[in-house]
Amino acid sequence: MPHTANPPSTPESGDDHTDTIFDDCGRPVPAHSVGRRALLAAAGAAAIAPLAFGAPAAASPGPHTPGGKPGRRPQRGHYLIKGAALVSVDPAIGNQAKADIEVRDGRIVQVGANLKARGAHVIDASKMIAMPGFVETHYHMWSALGRNFVSTGFEYFAAKSATVAAYQPDDFYHSVLLGLVECASAGITTVNNWSHNVRGPEYADAELHAHADGLVRARYSYGHRDGQPATQPIDFADIDRVAATWFGKKSPFDGLVHLGVNLRGPGQMPTFLAEMAEVTKRKLPISVHSGQGPTTAVRAADLEKMGFLGPDFLLCHALPFDEADRQAMVRTNAPVSFSVHSELRLGTAGGFHGQLLRMLAAGVTVSLSFDASSLAPINMFESMNVAWNLGIPWVGTDTAALPPVVFRQAIEMATINGAKALGLDAVTGSITPGKRADIVLIRADDLNIAPIGDLESTVVRSATPANIDTVLIDGRIVKRNREMVSHDAGTVVRNAAAAAHAVRTRAGGILTPASPTPPRF
């Protein structure tokens, strides 16, 4: 049964429709930060007053209930991908100028030359590059439909603060589904949905409905409500409900989605310790923002001393980290996620250039992510490209003696390292027999790619999502001949546009739509 939009509520104490703007760790944003002054001046009273009732979001296109049947689910087939140039990200297999890949029942069966697979459907990949699907490790998907809410002087934190309470559960469904379908189209086959605005159980359910319909491998990282008082822990009773309802025997995810949590970190130590005690009991993987500036730093060395740091504790940003923090991460195998575009725009600790070089040199597991669609394109090719281009030592600085980022490392950050960061490296992240078939085929004869020389250079420097011909997730073809086959992309876009129009109408102020009628495509 579709969600129905509820009347907007009056903002709660500590919520975001006051003159306080919160960062993603729940800390107030300083007045000098990008966009805050513009929010208060340009949005006017409407942006900080109780929400006005606006046009309802479009009805959900049939999200199913737990245990139900998704509307469209391509079958896992038996495929033989023939003649592809291969970037395997498996050291035992390496890169190959021409290789075949057999896929059956969602699993990679064999990789090699001149393979035979009786009864398999042959996919001619002789003009394509095959590589593992990308793994994204930090994406606030509830706000995906708000990618263009930002404007000059009204950037990420201001736009987020003006809209966090303007979303209804339907809007979360349409936003997350938009993000998932866009990810699949762009070759991103695994994502960490870092949900840091869970406004109630119905909002979590709406996101999980979208995951069940989205068919993308994922972690759903349940978190707090944006603007939630720092002394108030996240809702572990609802986490237990979610675990039982969505991840039990009748789970609709077919193994594609697993549950995690995201915490606000030790900025409010009593709350953090209480939340960590609850997380430890439930043995859930953790994600924490660890600072884009010196005033929001979360230190890995301190987390290690508290006994919390480990391979299931994902730190994001980490720009102010020092060598003690990096060595703590190496000792405990704790991973990090760099959101390269976000680090450049919001990185008041100086960006990620030096930190990236030092972490790679130290042996930290570094992965890549987007943060939010209002901060970065959903484009892992571009993230790899930016990381590679910035990943050089600078003469006359303390990075001068460090090794540069090479193409192989950029690809690993976007694939196998992301899988390690999410605890999925035995499942995905490389084209390896026995792993699940998360595979991307890239057209090698397109104008911006041909002629191919070095395969890794081609993937990092030349390819874009527009070059993706075919995407398999868990052995299902979700994109073929450059078109999504698992979803009606036009319907996804229309519903997301209607939901965005409703959010803007409720938020008011600078975001008020020019027309009261939702756009049609």
Side-chain angles (χ1 to χ4, degrees), residues 243-318:
T245 304
W246 288 94
F247 296 91
K249 293 181 178 179
K250 294 184 178 180
S251 173
F253 298 132
D254 200 19
L256 276 179
V257 184
H258 68 278
L259 181 62
V261 295
N262 72 84
L263 305 182
R264 288 160 289 179
Q268 181 62 251
M269 187 61 73
T271 304
F272 176 66
L273 293 176
E275 290 181 339
M276 282 301 306
E278 297 294 332
V279 171
T280 301
K281 285 192 294 187
R282 292 162 175 81
K283 298 180 179 180
L284 293 172
I286 302 160
S287 303
V288 170
H289 288 109
S290 51
Q292 290 178 292
T295 61
T296 60
V298 171
R299 312 310 305 217
D302 293 339
L303 291 169
E304 183 190 27
K305 290 175 184 176
M306 288 185 274
F308 296 145
L309 208 59
D312 59 351
F313 200 112
L314 173 62
L315 293 159
C316 187
H317 303 311

Side-chain angles (χ1 to χ4, degrees), residues 1-3 59-65 69-71 173-174 209 213 495:
M1 149 174 173
H3 300 293
S60 168
H64 64 280
T65 55
K69 298 290 185 183
Y173 173 84
H174 294 304
H209 275 134
D213 291 345
N495 287 329

